[in-house]
Amino acid sequence: MTDTRRRVKVYTLNEDRQWDDRGTGHVSSGYVERLKGMSLLVRAESDGSLLLESKINPNTAYQKQQDTLIVWSEAENYDLALSFQEKAGCDEIWEKICQVQGKDPSVDITQDLVDESEEERFDDMSSPGLELPSCELSRLEEIAELVASSLPSPLRREKLALALENEGYIKKLLELFHVCEDLENIEGLHHLYEIIKGIFLLNRTALFEVMFSEECIMDVIGCLEYDPALSQPRKHREFLTKTAKFKEVIPISDPELKQKIHQTYRVQYIQDMVLPTPSVFEENMLSTLHSFIFFNKVEIVGMLQEDEKFLTDLFAQLTDEATDEEKRQELVNFLKEFCAFSQTLQPQNRDAFFKTLSNMGILPALEVILGMDDTQVRSAATDIFSYLVEYNPSMVREFVMQEAQQNDDVSKKLTEQKITNKDILLINLIIEHMICDTDPELGGAVQLMGLLRTLVDPENMLATANKTEKTEFLGFFYKHCMHVLTAPLLANTTEDKPSKDDFQTAQLLALVLELLTFCVEHHTYHIKNYIINKDILRRVLVLMASKHAFLALCALRFKRKIIGLKDEFYNRYIMKSFLFEPVVKAFLNNGSRYNLMNSAIIEMFEFIRVEDIKSLTAHVIENYWKALEDVDYVQTFKGLKLRFEQQRERQDNPKLDSMRSILRNHRYRRDARTLEDEEEMWFNTDEDDMEDGEAVVSPSDKTKNDDDIMDPISKFMERKKLKESEEKEVLLKTNLSGRQSPSFKLSLSSGTKTSLTSQSPATNLPGSPGSPGSPGSPGSPGSVPKSTSQTAAITTKGGLVGLVDYPDDDEDDDEDEDKDDTPPLAKKAKFES
């Protein structure tokens, strides 16, 4: 759409009474069948989606403010506003609204219509407008009572507001204010306070424009000094005229802009300091005051942004070395407030605003400011930097990478003077300010850490056909910046315990660890190389000995994040350096206390057990089992030991590994008929048709180990013959408890290794499959010589049933099995604790 007359911004009022930007679009009016009436429709200019669909209700009060705003309430706590780009468009929609409600478009508010039965107690709808008492000292009490009685009724509020507008009553009241002050008439001043406060609660833009005019606003503030609840009047006017000084860091030539700035500051002061904190019932009555301030700020930013000379002078003085410190501080504070006001802009205007600042050189200017010694100036610069990072992190990343490239180009010339990149990179200045924060609560450090995390977050990095911002920026960050971030960590962990363990240092190291943990989760090989090459994890685990539990838990969380990746490069590094030792020591030192440290350590080992991380399981049991074997209030460590034993048995008996490779597909079996069909397909499939990685037997085994493979199959067949009178049952059960008899699971999923799983011998549960012993084990019941005739017959369809479908064994077999010293073999077992 090219029609700018109908171009609008949609705002909604949030719970904090602030206006939220809902998007830009084009407004129209038309009949909506679903809503059964004429409605306002706003469609987004970006994608045509519906931003607003609001029926023009005859009972809703619409307000037109400042020629380009229409404000109304959809529900008790849901206020809406349309901000028009052009006055003509606002007038056009206003006429549509007034036409639907049968109102005169010349009014600025459509009259509130409420339940007439309630209003009859106060006024007849057909009665003429409200008549105000004459504005005299003797009638101030009567006027105050009239205002107070009108506030509960929307109709009476409307009539009161119209009377105040039409008769110029506010200026007459302010003349009486001067008389009362001259006469020191405290009672009259108290009445004026109640009257002016009530006028604020009428929530009327036309009244605000009168009250906030240059000639009236200080008198209005004067009236609000005389609160009857206070023993002494406030001195708001004295503060505004003598204490609060308007500093033009850059001269403003536009008188309208200057007046708008003065007005906005004073109205903001009235809202924040002069008016009492509104009650629950009064809060909604001040929504127009919020709107007045909000849209004033929008107008100020727009006017400043259009003043090219003003911005040019601002940045020239910011970066000029001749600018004195006090002047620079004023410039920085102005720029901070300027950026804060920009948050009220519509998105497209905000884009232009930050692009303008970038072109003016705001980032190099911030670099200069952050190098200053003044803490207040650095704090303001940090706030400005946060606006830039939150708005467009890619813009900041592009700047620091260009800066690094320029530094690399001149690095040879700087070597003799021992100047490093760390001293001249903006992002390293940010890291150093985080590390050197003098605030005991580290408020600034927390803010800067959040900004750094935004900058290194791959989720908000752009990718194009030619280059990826993630690859380039992370390469830069780990080359130029990571050593600065980890410096306090490495400096404090040179021994077996932290060399400095005060609370502030612990807080700082916790922040560094939080950022490093974020990097482990999101940066893959960059952080992996850094951790392994710099031995970072070993240094981090030194902090497990800290007296501050939160820091020890941060160190543990860092290791847990690494283990959670299940990366064998990390695992080999952990095992080679014996990095479970600090964790086990912390666990033992914690004793029997049931706390967060205890639970977090157990959860780490439980993760290793459940995920069956074989290398770590073997490492923990081989090196730390003696220290952990007595822990019996959880089954985690015993479960780890069982995992380890099963792994070792599998390694000691490679025959079953060969047998596992013969089996494919269908780990879980239920339908015997489906089983037979698929077995026939399996036997009819040539080896050439197998997918990669699914060979029945490896080439070396195929030529020389056929007999060894068939031997355990023959034993299964023999057991089937012995038990064929019993009811058959499909082998696999999805969940086996540790009390079941040994059973073998055949796992044959496509593209993965086959697995044979066994449980330790125990009493059979009803319906559970069992076997008297491990096939192929010496002395196992049912074993037969390799030369038995059944071996030759195993290729028939019926002969395969013994592999996957055999009956339960009787109790005698269980007794024999208990006497069998040879434990069953397993590829992978799952035990429920």
Side-chain angles (χ1 to χ4, degrees):
M1 289 184 178
T2 58
D3 185 7
T4 57
R5 287 184 309 116
R6 296 288 189 93
R7 192 164 184 264
V8 296
K9 191 70 186 172
V10 180
Y11 292 94
T12 59
L13 199 65
N14 61 27
E15 294 179 355
D16 298 325
R17 311 306 298 168
Q18 300 297 322
W19 288 102
D20 288 337
D21 183 351
R22 295 302 184 190
T24 302
H26 292 79
V27 64
S28 62
S29 61
Y31 186 83
V32 176
E33 181 65 30
R34 183 176 64 82
L35 299 178
K36 304 296 184 186
M38 292 294 293
S39 303
L40 296 177
L41 306 173
V42 180
R43 295 197 174 274
E45 64 179 2
S46 58
D47 57 6
S49 61
L50 201 60
L51 293 178
L52 176 69
E53 185 180 61
S54 173
K55 181 180 178 181
I56 302 175
N57 195 313
N59 298 324
T60 297
Y62 292 84
Q63 297 181 54
K64 186 169 72 168
Q65 302 176 8
Q66 301 179 13
D67 292 332
T68 56
L69 285 173
I70 297 177
V71 182
W72 73 98
S73 297
E74 287 276 301
E76 184 176 350
N77 290 312
Y78 187 62
D79 291 356
L80 288 161
L82 294 180
S83 175
F84 288 78
Q85 182 169 328
E86 297 184 13
K87 178 179 182 297
C90 183
D91 292 341
E92 189 175 338
I93 294 299
W94 182 251
E95 288 180 6
K96 294 285 186 182
I97 293 172
C98 292
Q99 180 181 352
V100 173
Q101 293 198 339
K103 302 297 179 183
D104 183 353
S106 63
V107 301
D108 288 337
I109 182 171
T110 60
Q111 189 172 349
D112 285 319
L113 296 177
V114 296
D115 187 358
E116 293 186 15
S117 62
E118 294 182 7
E119 288 305 318
E120 284 173 357
R121 304 176 190 173
F122 303 98
D123 255 329
D124 184 7
M125 292 279 298
S126 61
S127 66
L130 191 67
E131 291 188 9
L132 295 172
S134 58
C135 199
E136 302 173 358
L137 281 178
S138 59
R139 307 195 69 176
L140 281 177
E141 183 176 2
E142 182 183 349
I143 297 170
E145 290 177 355
L146 175 64
V147 171
S149 65
S150 299
L151 291 176
S153 164
L155 178 60
R156 289 176 66 85
R157 278 206 313 270
E158 177 66 19
K159 290 184 177 182
L160 175 61
L162 289 173
L164 291 170
E165 288 177 38
N166 296 334
E167 299 181 20
Y169 208 78
I170 292 177
K171 291 184 179 180
K172 296 177 184 178
L173 288 171
L174 296 179
E175 291 174 3
L176 285 182
F177 168 70
H178 287 289
V179 174
C180 288
E181 274 209 316
D182 293 340
L183 298 175
E184 296 184 357
N185 182 350
I186 301 300
E187 183 180 359
L189 291 170
H190 286 169
H191 289 319
L192 281 167
Y193 170 88
E194 297 292 350
I195 293 168
I196 296 298
K197 178 188 171 187
I199 294 175
F200 267 97
L201 296 179
L202 291 176
N203 211 24
R204 183 89 171 190
T205 304
L207 297 178
F208 287 159
E209 289 175 352
V210 174
M211 296 167 72
F212 298 153
S213 64
E214 186 71 22
E215 59 179 316
C216 295
I217 189 168
M218 295 306 292
D219 291 338
V220 169
I221 293 172
C223 291
L224 293 173
E225 290 179 351
Y226 293 93
D227 186 348
L230 302 175
S231 58
Q232 293 294 326
R234 300 289 189 186
K235 297 182 178 181
H236 298 304
R237 287 172 294 172
E238 181 179 334
F239 173 83
L240 290 172
T241 55
K242 297 180 180 179
T243 307
K245 299 294 183 181
F246 177 63
K247 296 181 180 180
E248 289 185 79
V249 291
I250 303 292
I252 297 175
S253 56
D254 186 349
E256 183 184 353
L257 172 59
K258 190 181 295 186
Q259 190 275 332
K260 185 72 69 175
I261 292 173
H262 281 297
Q263 183 189 61
T264 304
Y265 175 78
R266 291 166 179 170
V267 176
Q268 186 82 60
Y269 181 83
I270 290 173
Q271 182 190 44
D272 296 341
M273 304 300 297
V274 180
L275 287 177
T277 303
S279 69
V280 176
F281 303 103
E282 295 173 342
E283 188 172 358
N284 289 339
M285 294 184 179
L286 293 175
S287 61
T288 303
L289 182 61
H290 289 279
S291 303
F292 189 95
I293 296 170
F294 175 84
F295 293 108
N296 258 20
K297 290 180 178 179
V298 172
E299 196 171 343
I300 290 171
V301 174
M303 295 170 75
L304 283 174
Q305 192 177 346
E306 293 171 2
D307 192 338
E308 294 183 6
K309 183 179 183 304
F310 179 86
L311 290 179
T312 303
D313 292 345
L314 172 65
F315 282 95
Q317 293 189 35
L318 265 176
T319 54
D320 188 352
E321 294 181 1
T323 304
D324 62 67
E325 297 299 314
E326 183 178 355
K327 178 71 170 178
R328 200 186 309 275
Q329 180 176 347
E330 292 175 354
L331 291 167
V332 171
N333 287 333
F334 170 80
L335 186 56
K336 173 187 171 182
E337 192 166 2
F338 192 29
C339 290
F341 274 30
S342 73
Q343 302 306 297
T344 62
L345 293 175
Q346 298 178 4
Q348 68 274 12
N349 293 336
R350 200 180 311 153
D351 288 344
F353 174 82
F354 281 109
K355 284 178 182 176
T356 301
L357 292 186
S358 179
N359 294 336
M360 292 285 183
I362 188 171
L363 287 167
L366 285 178
E367 200 164 24
V368 173
I369 299 166
L370 287 168
M372 298 172 62
D373 295 330
D374 192 319
T375 305
Q376 290 183 341
V377 171
R378 288 206 311 266
S379 175
T382 300
D383 291 337
I384 297 170
F385 186 69
S386 70
Y387 285 121
L388 295 171
V389 171
E390 290 168 8
Y391 170 71
N392 191 348
S394 291
M395 179 180 72
V396 179
R397 284 192 286 261
E398 183 179 0
F399 171 78
V400 296
M401 284 191 290
Q402 289 175 352
E403 185 184 33
Q405 182 62 46
Q406 294 169 1
N407 292 339
D408 287 344
D409 293 341
V410 298
S411 59
K412 292 182 180 179
K413 297 179 182 179
L414 299 176
T415 303
E416 294 180 1
Q417 295 145 349
K418 297 183 180 178
I419 299 177
T420 64
N421 286 333
K422 178 178 75 66
D423 298 317
I424 50 181
L425 286 178
L426 172 61
I427 196 167
N428 281 337
L429 281 173
I430 298 297
I431 295 174
E432 287 181 354
H433 287 318
M434 182 185 91
I435 293 171
C436 301
D437 188 6
T438 56
D439 179 8
E441 299 298 325
L442 294 185
V446 172
Q447 180 186 12
L448 291 171
M449 193 278 293
L451 297 178
L452 286 171
R453 183 165 59 185
T454 301
L455 287 175
V456 301
D457 187 356
E459 295 296 325
N460 61 46
M461 294 183 183
L462 304 176
T464 63
N466 299 326
K467 61 179 182 177
T468 60
E469 187 181 16
K470 177 179 178 181
T471 301
E472 292 188 356
F473 182 76
L474 292 184
F476 151 80
F477 183 78
Y478 280 88
K479 178 181 178 182
H480 295 283
C481 309
M482 184 57 92
H483 65 282
V484 185
L485 178 65
T486 56
L489 170 67
L490 298 176
N492 206 39
T493 54
T494 54
E495 301 175 359
D496 293 338
K497 60 181 181 179
S499 54
K500 193 176 180 183
D501 203 21
D502 59 278
F503 180 71
Q504 189 165 358
T505 302
Q507 278 188 305
L508 174 62
L509 293 180
L511 286 177
V512 173
L513 281 178
E514 184 177 344
L515 192 55
L516 288 176
T517 304
F518 178 85
C519 293
V520 167
E521 185 175 5
H522 293 90
H523 289 177
T524 59
Y525 67 91
H526 289 95
I527 188 68
K528 185 194 303 181
N529 291 339
Y530 189 82
I531 288 174
I532 294 176
N533 292 336
K534 302 293 184 182
D535 200 15
I536 296 295
L537 180 55
R538 184 177 64 82
R539 304 295 284 272
V540 167
L541 291 175
V542 170
L543 302 177
M544 294 286 294
S546 171
K547 66 183 179 182
H548 300 285
F550 70 88
L551 180 58
L553 287 166
C554 283
L556 183 64
R557 184 162 57 248
F558 179 71
K559 180 173 182 178
R560 172 64 177 81
K561 186 66 69 175
I562 289 175
I563 291 176
L565 297 176
K566 297 190 284 187
D567 187 315
E568 280 304 311
F569 283 98
Y570 276 130
N571 293 345
R572 285 196 291 272
Y573 162 60
I574 290 172
M575 294 185 293
K576 181 179 179 181
S577 301
F578 293 93
L579 295 182
F580 275 102
E581 185 172 332
V583 177
V584 173
K585 281 184 178 178
F587 182 68
L588 297 177
N589 291 337
N590 190 67
S592 58
R593 284 176 294 176
Y594 178 51
N595 53 18
L596 193 56
M597 178 64 72
N598 175 274
S599 298
I601 293 176
I602 289 176
E603 191 277 335
M604 177 188 291
F605 287 109
E606 180 69 12
F607 177 82
I608 295 171
R609 184 192 73 81
V610 170
E611 296 297 323
D612 195 18
I613 306 177
K614 297 176 177 56
S615 57
L616 295 184
T617 299
H619 176 75
V620 169
I621 297 303
E622 288 173 353
N623 294 281
Y624 307 106
W625 173 244
K626 291 296 182 184
L628 301 171
E629 63 178 337
D630 293 333
V631 179
D632 56 3
Y633 53 87
V634 290
Q635 298 302 308
T636 296
F637 301 108
K638 289 180 171 57
L640 272 177
K641 182 69 160 43
L642 188 55
R643 290 274 195 201
F644 171 69
E645 290 174 348
Q646 292 171 341
Q647 293 172 26
R648 189 171 56 183
E649 290 163 0
R650 185 177 63 251
Q651 293 168 0
D652 293 343
N653 295 270
K655 287 184 178 181
L656 284 182
D657 281 344
S658 299
M659 187 188 76
R660 279 196 310 277
S661 66
I662 212 171
L663 305 173
R664 300 174 59 247
N665 301 323
H666 310 297
R667 180 170 184 172
Y668 299 100
R669 283 294 186 184
R670 288 293 181 268
D671 189 342
R673 289 173 299 176
T674 304
L675 172 68
E676 292 176 356
D677 294 339
E678 294 182 355
E679 284 169 356
E680 184 170 8
M681 290 175 60
W682 184 78
F683 279 108
N684 292 334
T685 302
D686 294 332
E687 289 181 3
D688 294 338
D689 295 335
M690 298 294 182
E691 295 180 3
D692 292 344
E694 292 188 350
V696 176
V697 185
S698 63
S700 58
D701 291 341
K702 186 175 180 181
T703 57
K704 59 184 179 180
N705 289 332
D706 285 335
D707 289 342
D708 291 340
I709 295 170
M710 290 305 179
D711 181 46
I713 298 176
S714 302
K715 295 170 184 175
F716 274 104
M717 293 298 299
E718 182 66 20
R719 290 219 326 278
K720 179 183 179 300
K721 280 193 171 185
L722 294 174
K723 300 296 181 181
E724 60 185 3
S725 60
E726 298 181 10
E727 179 185 356
K728 294 184 177 180
E729 179 179 353
V730 176
L731 171 62
L732 284 178
K733 300 292 183 182
T734 54
N735 291 309
L736 298 176
S737 70
R739 291 165 37 206
Q740 287 177 301
S741 61
S743 58
F744 296 88
K745 298 180 182 178
L746 306 180
S747 174
L748 296 150
S749 60
S750 169
T752 60
K753 294 183 179 180
T754 59
S755 64
L756 178 63
T757 306
S758 67
Q759 303 276 356
S760 49
T763 305
N764 259 349
L765 293 177
S768 65
S771 69
S774 301
S777 302
S780 296
S783 63
V784 296
K786 293 180 182 179
S787 58
T788 179
S789 60
Q790 293 170 9
T791 303
I794 195 65
T795 55
T796 64
K797 173 182 172 183
L800 183 65
V801 178
L803 286 173
V804 294
D805 190 5
Y806 54 88
D808 295 342
D809 297 319
D810 55 21
E811 294 180 359
D812 293 339
D813 288 326
D814 289 335
E815 292 175 3
D816 293 338
E817 183 181 355
D818 292 337
K819 297 175 184 178
D820 191 352
D821 295 333
T822 304
L825 307 180
K827 170 72 176 178
K828 180 176 179 182
K830 292 186 178 179
F831 293 89
E832 296 180 354
S833 54

